[in-house]
Amino acid sequence: MRNTRLGVRLTAFVLCMMTVLTVFSPALAAEIYCYGTVNADNTPVYSNQNATAVLGVFNKNDLVAIESQISASGLYIVRLGPSTASTGYIRMSAVPDNTRIFQLTSGAALAQLKSSAGAVVDTGSLAEGTAGTIVNVKKNVNFRSGPSNKSARVKGQKSVPKGASVSIIGEESGFYKLVYKGKTGYVDTRYVAAGGTVPSTPETTPPGIGQGTDTGRITIGTGKIAVEAYKSKPVPAVETSLNSAKAANKNTIGYMYLNGTNIQQPILYNVKGIDYSKYNFYNKKSAEGAVYSLYGKDMTRNNVITGHNMRKSNGMLHQLHHIQEKTLGYTKCQMTEATCAISLDNAPDIKVQSNRVWDISLFGYNKWEVWAMYETAAKESKNTINYNINHLAKYSPSQIKTWIEYQKNRSEYKFNTAVSTDDIFLTLYTCGNNYDSSSAQSRLYFFLKAVS
Ligand SMILES: [Zn+2]
């Protein structure tokens, strides 16, 4: 059921946007948006796309005006009122019904906006989609007739210059469909800053596993993360989240939710053409990538899960560092290349046994306990890196014993978790905080074993 609803929701939004953009004459200036109906009371509206700081709440059946969507975060950008350009963020799942189109009454404030259910109009105007700017190019970017690098360039407007303002009217296969100088075409999303969000700079060298380069994707919001919000975030039933993730992406094999952090991620496996170090959960090209299993969709003796350390945006698996730091006695994020400055008050101290049993649903196991943790410096030997992510399938019990002892000896904290050669293991890792580049070989590792 979830599968169907999600599909309908995404399609409905696209249709709504298309209707708004194509049906209405650009002559009128009234503001028209896709509207949605909120499906539950106390649905938070966030001030940033990390969904951490709450601006306020919408209640069931309130209307929200949807400006655009950030599919990677599962959020809609919504208007907080027609007389203001202020926007907030709301979970897409909270607005399943968003096919209606309304015209905003001028001067209406948030409260009126929420109660303007009767104000349906089906004529009006919206000439543009979301505003965007061409970025991340030296001079020009190709303007293509289709969402592919193989598509021909647009007749009469083969490229769009850096800094040009464009109107984004859709998104397909890693490309924005946009309007520039009256012509419609496609530009790779990496070269368009949409709705005030600057995309990550394209990587010049392909990263190795877990070696994303975070160039500061998030520009909306204050940049300070209110960790406080996580305090009240309920731990979802792992199975429920796994099932909905599977319904949304059939490459899903697991789900992880690390209490006290913002890590709440489906776990995927790579298929032909989709390397999740470069594609997000929605199969869109993305510097953030997704969390994924190195050994595909099957269980191995040591399962290996990784994702990028998005240091500036505090995203993906960055907060694994917070767990490490909290456990080692720090009170703030220790990232040195950019200011994270996040308080670690709410991060779990995994010296406490209950804090190191994590909700990771993978191959039939739902709880995994950490038994070793350490970060390597730059230029760690490739041998270690390969050793740590070995699936151990070809190892004898004595070799597995040696592997366990090696990890325990390197652990930055001596956990008293009992580990045996019969255990099913999980290596969870991301890039190091201070040596993160495509050439550095620094990693932060957590070694876990399945407990139930
Ligand atoms: Zn941090």
Side-chain angles (χ1 to χ4, degrees):
M1 290 311 286
R2 284 171 174 275
N3 189 9
T4 312
R5 290 217 320 268
L6 183 74
V8 167
R9 164 165 49 95
L10 293 174
T11 312
F13 178 68
V14 171
L15 286 177
C16 180
M17 288 297 280
M18 297 297 271
T19 310
V20 169
L21 296 163
T22 57
V23 171
F24 300 119
S25 133
L28 300 168
E31 289 180 287
I32 296 206
Y33 291 97
C34 293
Y35 270 68
T37 310
V38 175
N39 66 356
D41 286 341
N42 294 313
T43 296
V45 182
Y46 303 100
S47 62
N48 62 56
Q49 64 183 50
N50 283 332
T52 51
V54 175
L55 284 173
V57 296
F58 282 111
N59 287 323
K60 192 170 180 178
N61 295 326
D62 282 343
L63 287 173
V64 292
I66 300 168
E67 279 204 338
S68 60
Q69 67 186 51
I70 307 171
S71 46
S73 326
L75 297 171
Y76 284 134
I77 301 176
V78 296
R79 270 287 176 106
L80 299 182
S83 54
T84 166
S86 297
T87 51
Y89 301 81
I90 189 168
R91 295 216 179 278
M92 288 162 68
S93 56
V95 197
D97 167 20
N98 54 41
T99 55
R100 290 180 294 167
I101 298 167
F102 291 81
Q103 181 170 15
L104 288 176
T105 312
S106 109
L110 179 61
Q112 293 165 289
L113 180 68
K114 287 161 67 175
S115 62
S116 60
V120 187
V121 292
D122 42 23
T123 58
S125 75
L126 186 65
E128 314 142 72
T130 304
T133 308
I134 301 298
V135 294
N136 292 337
V137 289
K138 273 191 178 158
K139 276 188 173 173
N140 298 290
V141 65
N142 286 324
F143 197 33
R144 299 193 181 275
S145 56
S148 158
N149 285 325
K150 288 177 182 159
S151 297
R153 298 200 288 169
V154 173
K155 262 192 179 170
Q157 189 67 55
K158 289 182 175 171
S159 62
V160 185
K162 182 179 183 177
S165 296
V166 296
S167 292
I168 300 164
I169 59 173
E171 188 181 348
E172 287 170 57
S173 313
F175 282 73
Y176 282 128
K177 184 176 189 181
L178 52 85
V179 178
Y180 176 68
K181 288 193 172 175
K183 301 227 184 237
T184 303
Y186 293 81
V187 172
D188 190 310
T189 56
R190 293 174 300 171
Y191 306 112
V192 185
T197 304
V198 178
S200 299
T201 306
E203 289 143 341
T204 47
T205 45
I209 290 158
Q211 292 179 319
T213 304
D214 178 6
T215 52
R217 186 184 181 79
I218 310 293
T219 58
I220 295 172
T222 61
K224 290 227 171 182
I225 309 297
V227 176
E228 192 67 20
Y230 293 118
K231 266 187 179 168
S232 57
K233 202 167 178 178
V235 180
V238 169
E239 278 304 321
T240 305
S241 303
L242 174 60
N243 289 339
S244 53
K246 276 182 175 169
N249 184 328
K250 63 179 171 25
N251 299 329
T252 305
I253 51 169
Y255 197 91
M256 62 192 294
Y257 177 88
L258 302 193
N259 201 11
T261 74
N262 65 357
I263 298 173
Q264 188 172 5
Q265 292 284 347
I267 300 164
L268 302 159
Y269 72 95
N270 291 344
V271 293
K272 200 170 182 228
I274 302 182
D275 168 358
Y276 285 108
S277 71
K278 301 187 185 90
Y279 283 78
N280 65 23
F281 176 68
Y282 295 93
N283 294 341
K284 301 275 188 196
K285 265 195 175 169
S286 154
E288 291 180 355
V291 172
Y292 63 100
S293 160
L294 238 58
Y295 298 120
K297 59 179 174 178
D298 298 314
M299 186 168 85
T300 55
R301 191 59 196 284
N302 180 39
N303 303 284
V304 181
I305 304 295
T306 189
H308 290 311
N309 173 20
M310 302 304 284
R311 293 166 296 164
K312 290 180 189 168
S313 63
N314 182 39
M316 298 313 292
L317 296 185
H318 172 71
Q319 292 204 355
L320 283 178
H321 285 272
H322 292 193
I323 297 174
Q324 173 211 28
E325 289 156 354
K326 171 74 171 212
T327 303
L328 298 180
Y330 295 101
T331 57
K332 281 190 173 170
C333 173
Q334 295 296 296
M335 183 171 58
T336 56
E337 287 191 359
T339 310
C340 186
I342 294 178
S343 154
L344 300 179
D345 286 354
N346 298 313
D349 176 349
I350 61 171
K351 293 197 293 292
V352 177
Q353 198 261 347
S354 59
N355 286 339
R356 63 175 183 264
V357 177
W358 291 351
D359 289 316
I360 302 173
S361 183
L362 188 70
F363 305 131
Y365 294 96
N366 291 317
K367 302 273 183 190
W368 300 74
E369 182 173 354
V370 177
W371 52 269
M373 163 197 83
Y374 60 89
E375 185 168 355
T376 61
K379 299 194 169 55
E380 176 72 32
S381 152
K382 266 272 181 206
N383 290 338
T384 315
I385 287 169
N386 292 332
Y387 191 56
N388 288 358
I389 62 173
N390 194 296
H391 52 58
L392 305 183
K394 292 174 180 164
Y395 277 39
S396 68
S398 71
Q399 286 174 309
I400 292 177
K401 189 163 183 280
T402 304
W403 184 84
I404 294 168
E405 291 307 315
Y406 176 84
Q407 308 308 354
K408 279 193 161 183
N409 284 335
R410 285 197 75 167
S411 184
E412 290 169 343
Y413 181 81
K414 304 301 172 200
F415 302 101
N416 57 6
T417 307
V419 188
S420 94
T421 55
D422 294 329
D423 280 318
I424 300 292
F425 298 108
L426 173 60
T427 300
L428 177 61
Y429 75 96
T430 190
C431 268
N433 251 358
N434 300 325
Y435 307 101
D436 189 27
S437 75
S438 55
S439 57
Q441 292 173 13
S442 171
R443 304 280 188 276
L444 170 64
Y445 295 99
F446 287 83
F447 297 91
L448 302 96
K449 65 165 195 174
V451 291
S452 68

